[in-house]
Amino acid sequence: MGKKMVEQHMKKLLFLDIDNTLYSGKSGVVPASALQAIRQARANGSMVFLCTGRSRAEASRYLDYPVDGFIFGSGSRCEVAGKVIYDHPIDAGMVQTLAQLIRSCGKGVLMGGNEGSYVDEKCWTDVVNYFSKPDADEATKIKDMHENGMVPMKNRNLSDSIYKMGASKLHSDSFDQLVKRLPKPFRLIQTLSSPEGDFGDISDGTIMKKDGIRHVVEYLGRGMEETVGIGDSGNDIDMLETCAIGIAMGNASEEVKKVADWVTTDIDEDGIYNAFAYLGVL
């Protein structure tokens, strides 16, 4: 873990991952303390951005959150105050190539777009439990899927741009198989873990969260020395390494904690609030 010193009470540019950083997959909610921290930090002059591997459609629930902008698809689409400042979807032909590759490995497919996140039947079954509270009934689970932008693949809008692909129920052998067969420059990163297998995102390896952050910082006319990245999983590592200060959630993987400058508490133990308090932005 790094040893960067935190300059207290400095207005900062705060970049937060969503899954298991802002939204808890265990409790199925965003902790109230996290929203309180975001509001307080912005009231004190800092700016907050959600920096996620999710596509815009998958982040539907968060579009009206009290934040200053978004980085979607691990850096492939950036929005500041409602304005798109960077947009780089996957080529339509490559979308089909990647879908065929995922299916050839026997895995479910997700295509993350702006209007919908298109999920085939196998993937739908694999991810439906993630978006609801553990005790939710089937009707609530389906409602929560829809509210998170999830659309059955058969209803896909073919004109919708796709920014990331998803593969479900990955185990070590299928993960390695996919990595070896991916065409350059695409990369596969494990994003969610479960006893039944991991979920992985496939995206353009030349575009990462750190690139989206740089686009935002440049657009705002600010400096990287003002940036803070907070995350928990493999696709957050480049963000934590690039930002002036990188903070890992208490529930983060050990790989992420090793590159962080500081580790806050678990997401369900006020992790975001405690991180903002540590930074002196509250």
Side-chain angles (χ1 to χ4, degrees):
M1 189 165 67
K3 297 180 180 179
K4 294 177 185 172
M5 298 297 292
V6 176
E7 183 178 342
Q8 297 295 324
H9 310 299
M10 173 184 174
K11 295 177 182 178
K12 293 180 170 63
L13 303 176
L14 302 152
F15 295 88
L16 311 183
D17 176 47
I18 291 180
D19 291 293
N20 292 316
T21 296
L22 181 66
Y23 167 79
S24 171
K26 291 184 291 184
S27 63
V29 299
V30 172
S33 63
L35 282 173
Q36 179 185 352
I38 290 171
R39 291 190 176 97
Q40 287 183 218
R42 294 181 74 227
N44 288 333
S46 289
M47 299 181 75
V48 180
F49 300 86
L50 300 188
C51 185
T52 178
R54 294 191 186 204
S55 69
R56 195 178 198 280
E58 293 168 319
S60 298
R61 276 187 169 178
Y62 308 95
L63 297 180
D64 61 352
Y65 267 43
V67 296
D68 297 282
F70 302 87
I71 297 173
F72 301 115
S74 295
S76 56
R77 181 181 172 97
C78 305
E79 299 182 11
V80 177
K83 180 180 179 180
V84 179
I85 64 166
Y86 182 77
D87 192 58
H88 190 91
I90 300 173
D91 175 79
M94 183 55 69
V95 168
Q96 295 307 313
T97 297
L98 294 172
Q100 291 170 6
L101 176 57
I102 295 169
R103 291 191 178 105
S104 72
C105 295
K107 303 303 174 182
V109 175
L110 177 149
M111 300 177 182
N114 288 326
E115 298 178 18
S117 187
Y118 308 101
V119 189
D120 69 11
E121 188 173 345
K122 181 177 291 187
C123 187
W124 187 283
T125 300
D126 293 341
V127 303
V128 66
N129 291 326
Y130 175 74
F131 292 100
S132 297
K133 292 183 178 180
D135 58 351
D137 58 29
E138 194 63 25
T140 299
K141 288 180 179 179
I142 293 173
K143 176 176 176 290
D144 288 339
M145 285 284 278
H146 290 160
E147 288 182 356
N148 280 282
M150 300 293 164
V151 178
M153 189 68 75
K154 64 182 180 180
N155 296 331
R156 179 188 169 197
N157 178 356
L158 296 177
S159 66
D160 190 10
S161 295
I162 302 300
Y163 295 81
K164 70 91 176 277
M165 304 289 290
S168 62
K169 277 193 177 177
L170 292 172
H171 298 280
S172 58
D173 55 345
S174 53
F175 189 96
D176 292 342
Q177 183 183 5
L178 258 179
V179 169
K180 290 177 182 177
R181 296 174 62 188
L182 276 179
K184 294 182 179 180
F186 289 89
R187 62 172 187 161
L188 171 66
I189 291 183
Q190 177 265 326
T191 52
L192 299 174
S193 296
S194 78
E196 297 180 345
D198 297 337
F199 194 90
D201 281 355
I202 296 173
S203 59
D204 186 334
T206 65
I207 304 170
M208 304 171 76
K209 286 189 175 184
K210 65 179 180 181
D211 301 304
I213 290 171
R214 288 193 175 113
H215 286 305
V216 170
V217 171
E218 181 179 348
Y219 175 79
L220 293 171
R222 304 282 287 271
M224 288 298 295
E225 69 277 5
E226 303 175 71
T227 60
V228 177
I230 305 178
D232 70 286
S233 63
N235 70 341
D236 297 317
I237 289 177
D238 69 282
M239 173 174 69
L240 269 59
E241 290 180 325
T242 300
C243 286
I245 300 170
I247 295 179
M249 300 297 291
N251 49 280
S253 66
E254 290 304 313
E255 182 183 24
V256 175
K257 290 178 180 178
K258 286 179 181 178
V259 304
D261 299 300
W262 191 70
V263 179
T264 185
T265 51
D266 187 282
I267 182 172
D268 292 313
E269 296 173 357
D270 302 320
I272 290 296
Y273 189 93
N274 291 331
F276 279 30
Y278 167 76
L279 293 165
V281 297
L282 299 180

